[in-house]
Structure formats: C-alpha cells, structure tokens
Amino acid sequence: MNSDFIIYNTLTRTKEIFKPLVEGKVGLYVCGPTVYSDSHLGHARPNITFDLLFRYLTFLGYKVRYVRNITDVGHLEDEVEETGEDKISKKARLEQVEPMEVVQKYMNTFHHNMEQLNVLPPSIEPRASGHIIEQQLMIDSIVKNGFGYEANGSVYFDVEKYNQQYNYGKLSGRNLDDIKTNTRELDGQSEKKNSFDFALWKKASPEHIMRWPSKWSDGFPGWHLECSAMSTKYLGEQFDIHGGGMDLTFPHHECEIAQSTASLGHETVRYWMHNNMITIDGQKMARSLGNFITLQELFSGNHKLLKQAYSPMAIRFFILQAHYRSTIDFSNEALQASEKGLERLMNALKTLEELTTSEKSTIDISTPKEKCFAALNDDLNSPVAIAHLFDGVRMINSVKAGTEKISSTDLAELKSFYHSMVFDILGLKQEQTADSANNEILAGAVVLLIKLRNEAKANKDWATSDKIRNELNAIGVELKDTKEGVEWKLK
RNA sequence: GGUCUCUUGGCCGAGUGGCUAGGCAGCGGUCUGCAAAACCGUGUACGGCGGUUCGAAUCCGCCAGAGACCUCCA
C-alpha cells in the first residue's frame, strides 16, 4: 500500500494518519461483552467493526495482537436476577446457580454467534475473573500515587485530586465542574468523598457471591479496572488502538484513562476508536423499550419485530453498509435490501469464475480497486468501498452478458482483488444451505428433473415444464434459463 | 437541566463549497415460450428561515424535529 491509513481518533476529534508504535506491529484492545445474557444485535456492531479493522490491518501486513476481554465479574449479581423467569427468591436462586455457570453459558453463546457472523477470534481473550491479582496490583499503585482512598473496605478513585494534576474528561469532552453540577446524587454513596468518584474495589455485601479476598475486604474489582489492567498486561504500558462502543466513552473509557495515568504516570492509548449504535425506529435498543433483539432471534426470525429470519451474512453486510461512526437504523426493509444486495455481490463472485476472456479488456478494472482501498484507508469507510465493489459487479455482469470484454490478466487481477476484499477484508462468505452429502443427492434429483423439463420444453409442453419449475421453486430450488442452459441454485 | 450529535430522493445509507456514491424498491426497454436473472435507460434528494459567497445540500446564525451521553449498556 502506498497511501496512508487514516483513522478518526476520539481523543483528538480529528482524523489522523495511523502510525504504529512499533514498525509493522499493532496492539489493539477492544471492550468485549459482559456475559450475563444472550448476545444481541448491538453486540454485532463493535465486533464486526473491529473485526474489519483487525482484518484490514492484517491485510496491510501488520502483525496485530488483538485483545478483547470478557467481563465476568462485578455487577453480575443484579443482572442474573433480572433475567428472571419468575421471582424465585433471591436466596434460593443464589444457592442454586453458580455464577460461572451463567458466565460460561452466555460466553458460549457469544462465541457461537461471533463465529456465525464470521468474526475472527481475537489473539487473546482475557477474562476479568482471571486477572484479579493484576487489578489489585493496579489499585495498589493508584493508591500509592495518591489517587485512591480506602473507605469501609472499598477503594475509590479520587477524581478531584486526579483532575488537579491531569485532565479528567479529556476523552468525552467534559470538565469536572460540569460533572460536579450535573451528577445525580444517589443514595448509599456516603463513603465516597464525591459522588463522581468511582470504585476500584468494592466490598461485597453478604449476599454477593462473586468475591475475592484482598487486603481491603472480601470483594470484587470496580468495573472500569479490568480493561486498564488487562490491556497493560498484554499490550504494554503504551499501545496503539483502543476500541469500543460510543456509549462506553463516558464514564468507562474516561475512567480507564484516569486509572492508567494515575497508576503509570502517563496515558496508554494512542488512538481511541468508537463505533456508533444500532437503533430501532430511531431509538437505541434497550430491554426497557421492548425492542431488544438477540442474535439468535435475528438468525431464526423468531421475534415480533422480525418479518423473516436474516442470515448472519446479511446482518454483517447490513452493518458494513454503514460507516462505523454513524448510527444505523434497523428495519425489516433495510435488512431485506442488504440481503438482496449481498446476493448480487456474491453472485458476481460466482460469475467471476465462469467468465471467458478476450485479447484485450474494454473495461478498466483498476478504478474500483483503487477506490475501494482509498475508501478503507479513509477511516475504514466500508460503505464507500462496497459501493465501488458494486461498480465492479456491473463490469463483471457486462462481461458475462457480452457487452464488455476482459483480458486474462485483468480477470486474474480482478479475481484476486475480489477475493481479498470480499472474503479476507470484509469477511463475507458464501452461505452454506445444506451439507455436502445432502447436496449430492439433491443435485442428482434436480439434474434429473431439469432433464425431464427440457424434454417437455422440446415438446412445447409448457404446462409440464412450468410445473417442474414452480414445484422446485416451492421447495427452495430456483431455476434460471440462460443462453448456456439451465442454471439452478438453492434459494 | 448539562454536554454532544444528527436531520439526504419511496426505504437504507455515502459524500461534499461548483464535477451531485452505492444498495433495495419503482418505471420503460433488450433477452425469454413465459418467468427469473442479467444488461441498457430512467429519479437534479439534501428539515425550515435568514446570512456569507460568483456559487451551499456542504460554511455561519436562528428555529423546528430526532437521538446519544450524564446510571449498567455495544
């Protein structure tokens, strides 16, 4: 690549040329899910966005260490109850359910869903529960440096003191005075010096079952701490990119900066990247609004808002068709449009394998290619890259239709470009509809029926030929009469 | 209430001070026994009102509407 890769840095609010800390290597940390319930449509966004980043950086030749955590401690207790089928008494429930059971169950679901979406696994997937010691050590250094204080077995971060020396609010564009006047006063915060101080270590209440011993109390780490501790552990005291959803900017990422700075004396992250939200009818998806759709429901179509099932690839394509920093509004219409567009793109990839070549090309294949990469280099602009991919689709179809010609060298280049862009970078794949054994039997039967239909056609017995076509269509096999003969495929 | 963002053709969505993506849907045509697919042609959209400018949908102001964060959140 001869042009620079540019990314938007939330910290500076500008697009910056990406320069890794170490030549040829990239350290990438992304906030992963809290595994207390099924993964939902919202989880698809950051994971696909940063999967694209991971894939593209890799394609550019970087050796990427991608760390994405699993949050499996902290506020888990409350959430377990909220999944509430019915109101089993708290105590009974806590006695019956091992928290790690909940964690394991939803972590498995998450992994399965990510695989369906063709999201590559990260290089390291650390769990907060496995890094309690690292977190405790970090608390030690924060306290030692004077930015943390103990109160009644819990440890809090002293935001006001930190802000005297550093800038609390630099990422989210807030200043402490505003926060002071606008933070809601909540009950039970009396042990904190200020309401905006946040917990580094929380003493566990008697019924809280996830707890670890410490010199302060039996308790659990504060919810911002894991990312600071684990990113530093695996990527070093300074690393390239930290990603996550926009809703994490404040307070989560702001607190991460404060913790790391308070502990190490300097910031760790060079580029902050934030993906925007998915909305439904213009509103963020939330349990309380009743517009919450899990990935499982999306793939099966089993939800009142869904008119049909949507394949994982249709969801992936839908998300890639919007820029990651824009909100994207969910609707059946939009998803159906993506589904059809994806089909068109994937058909063109099959067509690419069947094209006949000519002496000279009448098309310029370098244009879509260059524009595609230019788009990705410009802050990962996947929608524009896809637009240029469709320009190429028109070329491919024109060659097939015979209105344009392509040389063998151009065809080879075009194939290689489409394979890299569509499969390796965008991470799309042809969907499998049946296993290969079934396919063989099915193919034999379909070929036989096509043969019978051809005989009927030869006799101008349109009733029979249409019947065969319609019946096959009804069970999911689509026939097309082309100049080269009859083509068929599973719908 | 505070901070911030957004408002693009039927739908989704890029982009940008003049050369005005793309997908889906629609319409007309070619092809076909018909259909499908494919191909060709077709839409001067940028919330409203002012201002700056030779020129703004793109910059500025005001108004209206929507949303995000401020509490767990992707």
Side-chain angles (χ1 to χ4, degrees):
Chain A
M1 285 307 113
N2 44 23
S3 57
D4 294 316
F5 179 41
I6 291 170
I7 59 182
Y8 180 87
N9 190 347
T10 308
L11 196 57
T12 58
R13 288 162 197 263
T14 53
K15 286 185 184 179
E16 298 177 11
I17 295 172
F18 176 69
K19 287 259 184 289
L21 197 59
V22 179
E23 179 83 30
K25 294 185 180 177
V26 177
L28 169 64
Y29 187 92
V30 175
C31 291
T34 304
V35 282
Y36 64 89
S37 67
D38 282 327
S39 306
H40 54 78
L41 181 55
H43 287 118
R45 188 94 196 257
N47 284 294
I48 288 171
T49 296
F50 293 106
D51 186 54
L52 173 66
L53 177 67
F54 181 34
R55 286 167 178 273
Y56 191 52
L57 287 169
T58 304
F59 175 83
L60 291 176
Y62 291 109
K63 191 171 189 302
V64 185
R65 181 180 292 166
Y66 177 17
V67 181
R68 188 185 65 205
N69 67 299
I70 294 279
T71 298
D72 60 353
V73 299
H75 44 279
L76 212 55
E77 181 207 22
D78 294 338
E79 308 290 0
V80 170
E81 286 168 321
E82 273 177 20
T83 59
E85 307 72 280
D86 48 24
K87 298 214 169 183
I88 304 166
S89 85
K90 187 174 183 179
K91 203 172 176 185
R93 185 160 181 82
L94 293 182
E95 280 169 2
Q96 285 163 8
V97 180
E98 187 61 40
M100 277 300 160
E101 240 179 293
V102 177
V103 164
Q104 190 69 53
K105 178 184 171 191
Y106 293 117
M107 192 169 69
N108 290 348
T109 307
F110 172 71
H111 284 149
H112 181 237
N113 289 159
M114 289 306 114
E115 198 181 324
Q116 288 174 302
L117 289 167
N118 208 19
V119 168
L120 296 172
S123 324
I124 302 174
E125 190 171 51
R127 292 165 64 171
S129 62
H131 297 76
I132 301 297
I133 290 169
E134 286 83 350
Q135 296 179 72
Q136 291 178 343
L137 289 173
M138 191 159 207
I139 296 171
D140 276 341
S141 68
I142 291 171
V143 171
K144 197 180 99 209
N145 292 342
F147 298 110
Y149 58 91
E150 188 184 344
N152 192 26
S154 293
V155 184
Y156 295 97
F157 191 93
D158 192 334
V159 172
E160 188 147 51
K161 186 149 185 220
Y162 173 83
N163 194 56
Q164 286 165 8
Q165 193 170 336
Y166 304 103
N167 179 5
Y168 182 79
K170 64 185 293 187
L171 181 70
S172 55
R174 288 155 212 259
N175 66 64
L176 193 54
D177 290 337
D178 290 341
I179 295 170
K180 276 181 184 169
T181 53
N182 290 302
T183 303
R184 294 173 197 167
E185 290 295 337
L186 298 170
D187 293 336
Q189 294 188 327
S190 53
E191 60 191 37
K192 291 202 269 184
K193 283 192 197 167
N194 289 296
S195 59
F196 44 80
D197 287 349
F198 55 91
L200 297 170
W201 187 262
K202 217 39 190 150
K203 182 180 176 181
S205 54
E207 65 273 19
H208 199 110
I209 44 181
M210 282 196 119
R211 53 169 70 209
W212 289 265
S214 78
K215 59 180 143 188
W216 310 287
S217 64
D218 272 15
F220 53 95
W223 52 282
H224 306 305
L225 196 60
E226 56 177 285
C227 291
S228 291
M230 296 191 293
S231 61
T232 304
K233 168 156 183 167
Y234 296 111
L235 296 172
E237 292 195 0
Q238 215 189 359
F239 61 94
D240 298 297
I241 304 172
H242 188 130
M246 251 176 206
D247 51 348
L248 296 178
T249 311
F250 190 90
H252 186 57
H253 292 157
E254 199 70 69
C255 294
E256 269 189 56
I257 291 178
Q259 288 165 342
S260 299
T261 306
S263 155
L264 301 167
H266 62 81
E267 285 181 46
T268 53
V269 179
R270 302 173 65 236
Y271 302 87
W272 283 92
M273 292 178 78
H274 291 97
N275 63 275
N276 215 319
M277 303 290 106
I278 289 180
T279 57
I280 294 183
D281 292 326
Q283 280 194 309
K284 192 171 125 174
M285 215 166 62
R287 247 183 254 281
S288 54
L289 294 167
N291 59 2
F292 197 82
I293 306 177
T294 68
L295 289 170
Q296 215 70 267
E297 290 165 341
L298 214 46
F299 299 157
S300 67
N302 183 26
H303 189 284
K304 63 177 161 52
L305 289 172
L306 298 173
K307 287 187 182 152
Q308 60 170 84
Y310 297 99
S311 70
M313 280 307 107
I315 302 297
R316 186 173 178 112
F317 193 61
F318 171 65
I319 287 172
L320 290 173
Q321 271 189 301
H323 187 82
Y324 75 91
R325 283 192 288 115
S326 300
T327 54
I328 182 171
D329 198 47
F330 165 91
S331 69
N332 282 283
E333 246 185 317
L335 274 180
Q336 283 162 5
S338 287
E339 192 176 49
K340 290 191 176 163
L342 176 64
E343 194 186 353
R344 181 150 182 252
L345 180 62
M346 286 311 190
N347 282 343
L349 270 134
K350 287 182 196 154
T351 304
L352 213 40
E353 302 301 320
E354 307 158 0
L355 293 183
T356 49
T357 55
S358 309
E359 281 290 306
K360 279 181 81 174
S361 292
T362 56
I363 48 173
D364 180 12
I365 63 157
S366 62
T367 310
K369 184 175 172 179
E370 282 163 14
K371 288 188 172 174
C372 249
F373 284 114
L376 287 182
N377 280 332
D378 182 15
D379 194 29
L380 230 47
N381 198 329
S382 54
V384 168
I386 288 169
H388 294 300
L389 233 31
F390 276 110
D391 289 339
V393 167
R394 191 165 297 118
M395 287 182 187
I396 292 166
N397 289 334
S398 300
V399 172
K400 192 193 180 188
T403 52
E404 300 284 359
K405 294 184 192 319
I406 191 166
S407 69
S408 55
T409 47
D410 276 359
L411 180 60
E413 192 183 334
L414 198 59
K415 272 188 197 174
S416 139
F417 162 59
Y418 267 79
H419 280 246
S420 303
M421 188 56 75
V422 175
F423 298 137
D424 301 342
I425 297 172
L426 296 178
L428 300 168
K429 61 181 181 187
Q430 307 276 10
E431 310 236 28
Q432 304 286 318
T433 46
D435 66 54
S436 56
N438 282 341
N439 267 341
E440 267 178 48
I441 297 167
L442 179 69
V446 170
V447 167
L448 177 66
L449 284 166
I450 289 173
K451 206 169 153 190
L452 291 173
R453 178 166 172 266
N454 285 342
E455 287 172 15
K457 281 174 75 178
N459 296 329
K460 296 202 190 288
D461 178 4
W462 308 127
T464 303
S465 85
D466 286 356
K467 186 178 179 190
I468 292 172
R469 185 176 62 198
N470 293 341
E471 301 266 323
L472 277 176
N473 193 55
I475 59 167
V477 179
E478 192 178 8
L479 298 191
K480 286 194 263 181
D481 294 328
T482 69
K483 281 174 191 144
E484 293 80 33
V486 182
E487 288 178 8
W488 70 275
K489 66 166 185 171
L490 296 176
K491 285 199 290 187

